[in-house]
Amino acid sequence: MNPKKKNVLMICCDHWFADLMGCAGRHDIMTPTLDYLAEHGVRFDNCYSECPVCIPARRTMMTGLLPATHGDRVYSDRMPMPQVATLPQVFRDNGYQAYAVGKLHVFPQRDRIGFDDVILAEEGRYEFGVVDDYQAWLGENGYVGQEFMHGMGNNNYLTRPWHLDERAHPTTWVTTQMMKTIKRLDPTRPAFLYCSYAFPHPPLVPLQQFWDMYDDAELCAPTGQDWLDDRYIFQALREPEIDYSEKEKRRARRAFYAQCTHIDYSIRSLIGTLRECNMLDDTVIVFLSDHGDMLFDHDMVAKRCFYEQSAKIPLIFTGKPVSDMAGTVRHDLAEMADVMPTILQLCGLPIPSTVEGKALFDASLPARDFVFGEIGEDKKATRMVRRGDYKFIYYPCGNVKQLFDLKNDPTESHDLAGDAAYAALLAEMEALMIPQLHGMDLDWVRDGRLVGYPAPEYRPTPNYGLYNQRGYHWPPPTQC
């Protein structure tokens, strides 16, 4: 292998929010591996997912395009990838081998989006006519159709321990398949490796040994606030959370933490495999998540909003090739679109002209002034601007505006939008947001101001599918 060419191991999780690591100041979570890697690498503590839901975020991650360009700010699970150079394709075009293991979340499901090969684990999505590699492995190893017989839903926060052998747990399986992939690499060519874990995203089914590592009483309590009221948008955002008892909430947080620690420990095995294959010294390791999870902060769960725990993601670059920056914590604004150009620049590869993000280690580029985020086109549509220490969140349904001082109020417990002392700042943030709006959003603007539209009466909508509950997967289910 050309010694000047670096390998890359990119590790992506789902629902892991930025501050849920010991290195980010949380002492109730066990992440010794990530803490060590961050201590000896570079951690960005103000990186945002521009559209905090799985598919749009991953489209941005793999193309460097913003949602307005790649076309999805909703969750368009039948939208093909945009016809631009993807991150793995750029690597392959420059002599690399590129392999992915785990969750890709693209359409069609077997679209390799530029990888040489993808070993797929797609959370039981049979509706597109694909049996993924994990499900095939289950069938070949005596577990046919049993992946979801634990009874926990894919967007539900009830929990119980994993019901099959440890080797059949999706986190363990993805780790094992990535280790095997590393061992099969061509030693004469550099490699781009993408290890994509579906957890800690529900179902909350941790291995018993990781569950046992935590005690409910040791976990930080969910964050409260003084602004949650009965306005339509807040009732709608809270709806998935209201049915859980306090005991169930405590158990959910414990299970979520356990699933994070399982991943943290699994990363040690990936690093060990790189070391034993004599690849570690030439490998840049990247850790991130597609978005976060409210996990009962502000009486909410999951994602699709722009409070810190949903929208801000972990981003770590580490390994011997970046050791000259070891111990750095960057506070400047970053976003998902920056991941692709930053990795390419670290490897000395060309950045496609289509990329809209910036290479974060390029000192010649100016610091980003603000980050714009957008999610949804229905009554829960949300837009966000983060600039400096302040964040402006806008809900057009009911014309609800929120302003937070993240320096003095990092948990967003106090909304400043109604404070006359901040009226000028609120107007500045609104003026900054309006030029970013497009499509249907333009109907929310009148005479240069955000006016939105009247909110209807709130009526709860029962979810009879129990938030994406799966069932017995043999024979493979079909969808009409």
Side-chain angles (χ1 to χ4, degrees), residues 113-141:
I113 67 167
F115 287 102
D116 286 291
D117 195 14
V118 177
I119 301 175
L120 203 61
E122 283 282 276
E123 304 171 296
R125 291 188 183 87
Y126 281 105
E127 61 265 35
F128 302 114
V130 172
V131 175
D132 67 33
D133 299 298
Y134 169 63
Q135 292 157 337
W137 181 92
L138 289 174
E140 293 166 353
N141 287 271

Side-chain angles (χ1 to χ4, degrees), residues 79-98:
M79 180 184 289
M81 288 287 284
Q83 295 300 303
V84 298
T86 62
L87 179 58
Q89 188 63 58
V90 174
F91 273 107
R92 287 182 64 207
D93 290 345
N94 287 274
Y96 277 69
Q97 51 198 317

Side-chain angles (χ1 to χ4, degrees), residues 187-238:
T188 68
R189 298 165 59 207
F192 171 61
L193 303 166
Y194 179 58
C195 183
S196 180
Y197 293 107
F199 288 77
H201 188 307
L204 298 181
V205 286
L207 291 173
Q208 184 68 50
Q209 53 266 48
F210 289 101
W211 169 268
D212 291 343
M213 292 169 68
Y214 287 94
D215 183 322
D216 296 2
E218 296 175 347
L219 306 185
C220 295
T223 299
Q225 76 305 116
D226 61 9
W227 45 261
L228 198 64
D229 55 30
D230 62 358
R231 282 175 284 184
Y232 175 94
I233 188 60
F234 296 135
Q235 292 192 72
L237 290 172
R238 285 193 60 204

Side-chain angles (χ1 to χ4, degrees), residues 2 36 47 66 74 134 172 194 214 288 305 336 341 367 371 392 407 410 477 480:
N2 182 341
Y36 188 88
C47 184
L66 298 171
V74 181
Y134 169 63
T172 303
Y194 179 58
Y214 287 94
L288 76 165
C305 64
M336 183 70 82
V371 169
F392 173 53
K407 180 178 181 180
C480 299

Side-chain angles (χ1 to χ4, degrees), residues 285-302:
I285 300 170
V286 184
F287 177 80
L288 76 165
S289 182
D290 56 355
H291 51 75
D293 191 308
M294 293 303 292
L295 202 60
F296 302 102
D297 272 16
H298 304 325
D299 295 334
M300 299 175 193
V301 291

